Amino acid sequence: MNQNWIVENLNNAFSTWNGKLTELWGLVTTSPQSFKGGAVWGVMQSLHSAMVGIGYALIVLFFAISLFKNTTNFHELKRPEAALHYLIRFVAAKALVGYGMDIMLNIFSVCNDMAAGMGGISQAMVTLPGEMQSAIENVGFLASIPLWLVTILGSLFITVLSFVMILTVYGRFFRLYMYTALAPLPLASFAGESTQSVGISFIKSYVGVCLEGAVIVLACVIYAAFVSTPTVSGGEATTMVWSYLTEIIFNMLVLVGLIKGSDRIIHEMMGL
């Protein structure tokens, strides 16, 4: 067995984790317009524009449903306050559908600034301690066999956790696109009193998705403060590496669990 290969394997696993953390930070602090050079955003804008026309048609439908449901006879509309109430509702719904994208981008910008203001996540990076590397390089051939097995298992767990973490963040980013593209449809529900709950639920859900970025960054900050520097125990190299990897993987599981549970945390906070 090549001890240099063991060190290289561990460094590659840690490099994968650190790279995904860096990618996570980039995704959380990147606006939808600039992601992948804006190519995806261009498609979402086209879909949103197509949905706006459908949204205007739904405004008329929801408004008519509300009008016939809540008005027993049209003599009530002769009262100025009643007519003004329905007029304001119709105009407000039309403005929400027409300017929905601008409103949603402003909401995202506020939540994005909140996440960026919490600081970086460099403290959550992982490196191989120098004394452990020296111990591995001094291991004999027979002793390196169990060390090789421990390294393979540890590297596999770290790699899997890295991809689970980044896939969760990507899922949140793509949900932002879906909300933006289909926004005119639920926003049109504000035209009717009986249907406005759909629009309210949509806005709360969208704000929740935007705030997930802040929760993810906060989870990384708490994780970095909680973990500090993992301890390196003495003894044989195999025992040393096993103890170190066990602690590292446990800490990574905590962070990945917090990131995957960010949507649940937001739902509980906002009562969704």
Side-chain angles (χ1 to χ4, degrees):
M1 299 293 173
N2 190 336
Q3 288 84 347
N4 290 330
W5 183 91
I6 295 174
V7 172
E8 183 180 353
N9 193 37
L10 286 174
N11 284 329
N12 287 338
F14 292 154
S15 178
T16 300
W17 172 263
N18 295 337
K20 296 307 175 185
L21 274 177
T22 303
E23 190 175 355
L24 177 151
W25 176 252
L27 284 173
V28 170
T29 56
T30 299
S31 64
Q33 304 98 305
S34 57
F35 178 69
K36 297 296 182 182
V40 183
W41 181 248
V43 176
M44 293 303 105
Q45 281 184 311
S46 300
L47 291 173
H48 181 89
S49 299
M51 293 296 108
V52 168
I54 301 175
Y56 284 148
L58 289 176
I59 287 176
V60 177
L61 176 62
F62 292 144
F63 181 78
I65 292 174
S66 178
L67 185 64
F68 285 110
K69 183 177 181 180
N70 298 323
T71 307
T72 55
N73 57 72
F74 288 101
H75 291 291
E76 294 182 15
L77 295 178
K78 294 181 180 180
R79 294 185 293 115
E81 62 274 18
L84 182 62
H85 168 76
Y86 282 104
L87 177 62
I88 292 175
R89 177 176 288 277
F90 184 85
V91 172
K94 186 177 183 300
L96 279 174
V97 172
Y99 298 97
M101 180 174 287
D102 295 331
I103 295 172
M104 295 175 72
L105 287 177
N106 287 329
I107 293 174
F108 176 84
S109 178
V110 171
C111 296
N112 198 41
D113 292 342
M114 189 184 307
M118 293 183 182
I121 57 176
S122 58
Q123 293 180 344
M125 302 293 182
V126 181
T127 57
L128 184 66
E131 58 268 35
M132 184 173 295
Q133 181 173 339
S134 300
I136 294 173
E137 292 174 348
N138 293 327
V139 169
F141 175 76
L142 293 177
S144 67
I145 296 177
L147 184 59
W148 180 80
L149 295 175
V150 168
T151 302
I152 287 291
L153 291 175
S155 300
L156 180 61
F157 273 110
I158 293 172
T159 302
V160 170
L161 289 175
S162 301
F163 280 96
V164 170
M165 175 180 65
I166 199 63
L167 284 175
T168 302
V169 181
Y170 266 105
R172 175 251 180 187
F173 210 81
F174 288 138
R175 274 185 289 154
L176 288 172
Y177 282 128
M178 294 176 185
Y179 273 83
T180 304
L182 301 175
L185 305 184
L187 290 177
S189 64
F190 281 103
E193 292 184 9
S194 59
T195 57
Q196 65 179 0
S197 60
V198 176
I200 294 173
S201 177
F202 170 79
I203 292 177
K204 289 173 65 177
S205 297
Y206 178 75
V207 173
V209 174
C210 292
L211 285 175
E212 282 182 30
V215 173
I216 289 171
V217 174
L218 181 60
C220 292
V221 172
I222 295 175
Y223 163 82
F226 167 75
V227 172
S228 64
T229 303
T231 57
V232 179
S233 59
E236 296 182 356
T238 304
T239 305
M240 185 187 303
V241 172
W242 175 258
S243 300
Y244 183 77
L245 287 180
T246 301
E247 186 176 358
I248 284 290
I249 291 173
F250 174 78
N251 294 335
M252 290 177 177
L253 279 170
V254 172
L255 178 58
V256 173
L258 287 172
I259 291 175
K260 286 188 67 65
S262 60
D263 57 339
R264 181 177 57 81
I265 294 173
I266 290 296
H267 286 185
E268 291 177 353
M269 289 175 57
M270 303 186 65
L272 298 176

